Amino acid sequence: MMSSHVLTLLFLLLGGGTTTAFQQPQSLLRSKSIFNNNYFLTTKVTSKTATTCSTTRSIISSTKLSAEESSSINDTRPQVFATGYSTNPTSLTTAIEEATTAALASLPTATDLQYKIDLAIVSTSSLYDEPMSSIVPNIIKVIEASSGLYGYTGLNHLVGCTAGGVIGSRATTANASSESSSDDNKRECSPYEAEASPAISVTLALLPNVDITTFHVDKEDVPEFDGGLFQQEFGGSDGTEVWKRLVGLGSSSNDDDASDKDSNDPIFMMIPSPAFQNNLDDFLSGLQYAYPNGQTFGGIASTVSSLSRARLFCYSDGGNNSGNVHGNGCVGVSFKGDIQVDTMISQGAKPVGGVYRVVATGRNGPGGRGMTTAEEDEAGRSTIGAIVLDEAATAEEEQMMEEEEEDENDEPMDEKEAKQASLAAEYAKSRIPKPPLAEANFVMRRLSDDDQAFMRRALLIGLERGGSLVGRTPNELARLAKGEGHRFTVRQVASAGMKDGSVTFPLGSVDIDIGARCRFFVRDGEFAKKEAKALWMGYKKKELEGSLFGGMESDDEESPSLNPPTGCLVLPTLDRGVKLYGGKPGYESGLVSEFLPNVPSISGFFANGVLGKLDGTIAGNVGVSNENMLHGSSSQYVVFRSKTKRPIYSPYQAQQDAINAAAAKAEADAADQELAAEDEKRSKMSKSSFGSENEAAPRSENGELIVKRREVHSGRALSVSTVEWSVAEKTAKPTSVLEGYMWEKETQVDRLRERTPLALLMTNCKAAMSDPTKPRPRDWIGPVKQAGSNGKFVIIPECKRMEPATGSLRKRFDVSKLVKQLTVAGASAISVNSDGVLFGGTMEDITTAREASNAAAVAQSLDSGDGVVAPPILASDLLLYPYQLYKFRLAGADAVNLVVGALESKDLLYLTKIATTIQLQVLASVTSEVQIEMLTKLGPGSIHALVLSNRELETFDFDGGGEQALSLLKSEALKAFREKHGSDVPILVEGRVGLIERDGDNVGYIKALKENGAFGAIIGGGIAAINDDSAAQSLTSWAM
């Protein structure tokens, strides 16, 4: 065998360039397989006993509450993690005080049930000159000194270490200046990363009903793992006792209750020293043997400089704390009870080249390398002798990559075909079995300069992990984004064969089988960013599904089994951070804050390596492929949450609630006064300004209102000094609300024309129609017809702020929120009233509604996996001029509604033709048979739906009994309309639908409409009368 330096030399001979050293954890260079129970070496168990900090349980005054006790005293204490940090560059004592005080300020005030802090997790830079032995007593001193302010009298447990980099956070407070004014963008904490600079992070945890045990294990205390065969004779009947004693969980600690043995195994957080790596595999294997269902996570302590020595911290109240600072061994803490931990690991390695199969291992090659038979057998199992391209797997991978690239760029087809042909020609050379070093040299020639430089320094090979791949995604990033876990476990080659070109992994770290798939990898910052983001996307997907491996315990079948996260640990290795990602520090902790905006605590440290299962709890246990192991050049993310439905504590929300409570009444009173004033204004406008209060409006012989367009009088000129203006000689007064409404709308359109002339508006509209990037009007009537194709009565919800007769419909009108709710509820189409004269709407409401419906449909599609179509938008307004049609087209409307009572026949013809030209569908609203007859004269296809209204246009009140629409449904005029325009034109009803009662409820009137031939109804006030959160339910209850 040859060293990694000889491997580098071989690359140089094959055409490589200069090289630099690449560091990795030492245990990656030697290790036995952690769970390979077919291979046991036995040694005499040491008689020396490991030191445990304490075996006390930190619950309530170190007493655990049973479920019955918790229920009897109404134990609603939250699980809380609170972090503070300090970057004081000179004084460790001051830094401890600042960090601990900040963490204390983010905890809820102590109560009789919780007056001691259960656990502190500490990480500090190794650059401080003050002795590390001052850390534990100073933290306890700060907690006790602050008891008068926060109420906590002490600390039960503490673990921690020195580190080459520290990660901490500060909780967002209501008094702090917020980076964003939107609550939707607010994050519960702001993370901070300090690499190679003085800093300390202190995390304080309140963990109700959780057993906590801290421990310190010396490397001399760890026996060599033999699968329990030898330990059964010396360590207990089943061989597990020796391992349980090491972590303070032997039989004397009452750990193995018969009722929950193996079903509630502990969760271990471990912080080994760098020197402990040689014993780490045995330790992990022994704990896995003793606790098959347990979880393990953690990181190896580190330092900024290789000249300093890492330190470990371990403390427990009432335990043996004569030495709470250690230079060797492993410290840790075990959790058992009401706590759940989710873990995942990012490898930061980018796949290069194709996918290969192993066709020869070291077990097939010659011996004689100066090893014993056992050593040679162990090396053989970890050696790849020859590989060959797996064409099917490579083609599948390339196809997915091409699909992703097509989404990102528009590369010409001929270039794509040439690229594919070149790849096919190159891969054809890989169909012949080759030594992995020769194939690595071939792959390296196709890489960028940076990737080539990395491969010359270190050779990474990923071995495909066990478990069935049926139904799983082959692409690594796509798999992670779906929560399917990593496909390959990436390992660094420890040595290579000079003569045969074989490669060998750390001895015993892996058993390589003939036929196993493998792949080459390189470290790459941009890919590492994508991998970390995909990992969190998969985590969120699994979290929403409630299918994280550790989260399937729930007695409530109707509620999700997962509770919100309460804290997160981020444990990157020293070669990540700015070294890998570039730019400013804080990429990974910032990513956590982005995906977990409601988590109040983010902390951690930069480690020499991270411990745990590669996929943790994300993809579940996949045979032995998801084993506990040491990972180099990786990051581990650890998310804490409670198993039970404990309340969630938010420092920001606690302060914000107090502020909001003080201002709530004043704000409500101000809002009520504003709404009352607006209602009075609209009422006066509709009853006084828009019509005569004493005289009836003039009508024609056929009973229709006589409405005139606005009269404009120039008046006589009046001059004062140099200023001249005109005074109207005659002031006209509208004879009905409709006429006044029309006049006001004409004035509004005139003002718009002054800002944007009609010619410019038409040009903009024409440009938008020819621009493929601009949104196009969608089919409005198609989804409506589809919704009623099975005979169901179609409900089309309308979003409007107010009614002229009744005033404001909602105290808080949020068109975006309401449209999203209606989209999720399955609305086939939505109407938005954009009139600002009587209904309080705006043109922007159309654009907002379209964007909200699209966003809600996309989110629904991602969640469900099925395509969800965004409901099209109907612009409801008083349309008098073509100018308004162009405005609605640019605002994003899909259809418009014409009030026939306000238009002459020539106007109807003109407006419908223009609407068709600019791709807008037309609905027509009528209140009489005469108006229906006007529409009958239009050409077939000009009207896409007819709306029968219960509104009285003279006063804009409604027919309270709904007889107007029912009468029109039975009229001869409607029959003639259907004969002319076709029976497939939907007949809709609007006006108090959902509010009019018949036969004792509001559904009776809807039944009568359906029985008389109505296809559906546009409902605005009926939905507004219900709470917005319940409005969506009405779509289902009224549809029949």
Side-chain angles (χ1 to χ4, degrees), residues 763-776 889 919:
T763 301
N764 293 341
C765 190
K766 183 178 180 180
M769 292 174 63
S770 60
D771 188 347
T773 64
K774 299 293 184 181
R776 296 181 178 275
R889 172 64 174 82
Q919 303 170 343

Side-chain angles (χ1 to χ4, degrees), residues 372-393:
T372 65
T373 302
E375 290 173 340
E376 190 169 307
D377 180 64
E378 186 176 16
R381 289 201 303 270
S382 304
T383 298
I384 300 178
I387 57 176
V388 65
L389 185 71
D390 187 324
E391 296 184 56

Side-chain angles (χ1 to χ4, degrees), residues 527-541:
F527 184 86
K529 288 183 178 180
K530 294 179 181 179
E531 182 198 25
K533 191 168 292 186
L535 201 61
W536 278 105
M537 290 175 63
Y539 172 83
K540 294 299 292 184
K541 179 179 183 295

Side-chain angles (χ1 to χ4, degrees), residues 175-198:
N175 295 327
S177 58
S178 175
E179 295 181 0
S180 172
S181 59
S182 172
D183 287 340
D184 293 338
N185 297 325
K186 182 189 70 64
R187 297 178 184 179
E188 284 290 338
C189 70
S190 301
Y192 176 84
E193 294 183 14
E195 298 183 41
S197 62

Side-chain angles (χ1 to χ4, degrees), residues 297-314:
F297 65 90
I300 296 177
S302 61
T303 58
V304 175
S305 170
S306 59
L307 300 178
S308 56
R309 187 177 181 183
R311 292 290 186 267
L312 312 175
F313 314 129
C314 181

